Amino acid sequence: MKWEDNRRSDNVEDRRSAGGGGGGLGGRSIGLGTVVVALVAGWVFGINPLTILGLLSGADVGSAPTQQQASAPPSNDRQAQFVSTVLADTEDVWTRLFKQQGAQYQVPRLVLFRGATPTACGQGQTAMGPFYCPVDQKVYIDLAFYDTLREQLGAPGDFAQAYVIAHEVGHHVQNQLGILPKVDQMRRRADAAQANQLSVRLELQADCLAGVWANQAKSNFQLEPRDIEEALNAASRIGDDTLQKQSQGRVVPESFTHGTSAQRVSWFSQGYQKGALGACDTFNGTL
C-alpha cells in the first residue's frame, strides 16, 4: 500500500494532548461491569457503543458534549498522517459516488483521542474501540487500537488499519443516506433478538461499503493482493463467532451484533468486487 505522497485531509481533530474529560456518560459514572456488557454487545467496530452504554446507564446520549481543545495533528506524526490520508481518500471516493447519484456528500471529521473524550453521543473511551457518533458526525479513534488490532486480534498491516477507518466512514455513509436513523428507530421497537439482527445487517453493510471504497481507492494506493488479504484477515478476526470463541469458549448466535467472520469477509469482498453502492443491500434476503 503506497500512501505517503497522497493528499491528507484537513478534517482531523487531535485531542490527544487534552485531558479525557469526565469519567462517565451523560453526567453519570459507569462501572466496569456496565462497560463490559456494552463491549460484549458492541465491540469491535460497533456502530455506536455509546448508545448501548447510554441505555444501560439511563443517560441522555444526545446531550451536547463538553468542549475539548483540539488541534491539527503534528506534521511528523506518521500514524496521524496515515489516518489523515485514508480519510482524505474516503472523502474523494464518496464525494464522487454521491455525485453520480445526484447527491452531495457531507464529509465527516475524524477525532484522535487518548483514554477518553466527550462526544455528542456521550463519553467515548479507548476500551470501546473505534466508533462513529451520528449526532456530531465524527469518527473517533484512539490510535492505540492499532496495537490491539495487530498484537491481540492478529490483524497486522497498514491496509487492515485502513479498513478500520473505512468501516467507520461506512457508518457515516449510512447516516448520510438515511439508513442509520431508520435502523435505529426499528431497533428501538424490536425485541432483543430482532434488534441484534438489525445490528448485524447494519455492520455487514458498513463492511461492504468499506469494500466499495477499497475498490475505488486501489489505484490511488497502488494496492496489491496482500493488501486486500490484510483487510480480509481483519474482517475475519473480528467476527462475532471468532471473538466469542476467544473470550468465552462458546458461540451464542442469537447474541451476534456484527456478523460471523465468514459474513464479514463475504460482504467486504462483495463491495470490493462490485465497487458500487448497489452491491451492499444487506437488508433484503439472507446473509
Side-chain angles (χ1 to χ4, degrees):
M1 176 181 181
K2 308 292 184 182
W3 62 269
E4 288 84 353
D5 297 328
N6 290 15
R7 181 179 77 85
R8 297 173 192 162
S9 175
D10 294 326
N11 296 308
V12 178
E13 301 176 19
D14 191 351
R15 300 182 186 174
R16 291 173 295 177
S17 62
L25 177 73
R28 295 193 184 189
S29 62
I30 297 178
L32 179 60
T34 304
V35 174
V36 169
V37 170
L39 298 187
V40 169
W43 197 75
V44 180
F45 301 137
I47 175 177
N48 194 359
L50 298 173
T51 297
I52 300 170
L53 289 171
L55 292 173
L56 290 172
S57 66
D60 178 7
V61 297
S63 59
T66 303
Q67 293 297 314
Q68 191 167 31
Q69 183 177 1
S71 60
S75 59
N76 62 347
D77 187 327
R78 185 173 174 83
Q79 273 199 320
Q81 291 173 4
F82 174 77
V83 296
S84 299
T85 302
V86 173
L87 182 66
D89 202 87
T90 67
E91 294 169 349
D92 296 341
V93 166
W94 289 115
T95 295
R96 182 171 66 251
L97 292 180
F98 269 55
K99 187 176 181 179
Q100 290 174 2
Q101 302 294 323
Q104 184 175 2
Y105 179 64
Q106 301 293 329
V107 300
R109 293 186 68 82
L110 187 148
V111 178
L112 306 178
F113 72 99
R114 184 175 290 122
T117 192
T119 83
C121 297
Q123 185 74 2
Q125 299 178 5
T126 296
M128 296 170 181
F131 61 90
Y132 171 68
C133 173
V135 182
D136 58 23
Q137 301 188 56
K138 294 180 181 181
V139 172
Y140 292 83
I141 183 171
D142 185 328
L143 292 177
F145 175 76
Y146 285 150
D147 296 331
T148 300
L149 188 68
R150 180 181 62 254
E151 298 169 7
Q152 297 181 28
L153 297 178
D158 51 9
F159 205 68
Q161 297 177 2
Y163 160 66
V164 171
I165 302 298
H167 176 98
E168 298 306 333
V169 171
H171 287 312
H172 179 69
V173 172
Q174 291 171 320
N175 198 29
Q176 294 278 289
L177 294 174
I179 297 170
L180 191 53
K182 182 177 180 180
V183 173
D184 276 346
Q185 290 178 358
M186 293 170 64
R187 290 185 74 255
R188 292 178 187 275
R189 297 193 299 266
D191 61 30
Q194 292 171 332
N196 286 345
Q197 275 298 307
L198 287 168
S199 293
V200 167
R201 291 179 183 274
L202 202 64
E203 294 298 329
L204 293 178
Q205 186 176 65
D207 281 333
C208 184
L209 294 172
V212 171
W213 165 75
N215 172 284
Q216 299 286 322
K218 57 188 175 186
S219 60
N220 290 347
F221 290 117
Q222 301 178 41
L223 296 182
E224 299 176 353
R226 63 181 176 84
D227 294 309
I228 302 304
E229 289 171 3
E230 290 174 357
L232 293 174
N233 177 55
S236 177
R237 296 284 183 167
I238 53 149
D240 283 324
D241 52 343
T242 299
L243 290 174
Q244 287 186 355
K245 285 179 183 177
Q246 291 176 345
S247 63
Q248 61 192 29
R250 61 190 179 93
V251 174
V252 186
E254 59 269 22
S255 69
F256 288 176
T257 57
H258 294 72
T260 67
S261 293
Q263 288 172 329
R264 301 199 73 164
V265 167
S266 176
W267 280 100
F268 177 89
S269 298
Q270 171 135 325
Y272 179 69
Q273 291 165 5
K274 301 292 181 60
L277 273 169
C280 297
D281 184 2
T282 58
F283 289 93
N284 290 302
T286 60
L287 297 174

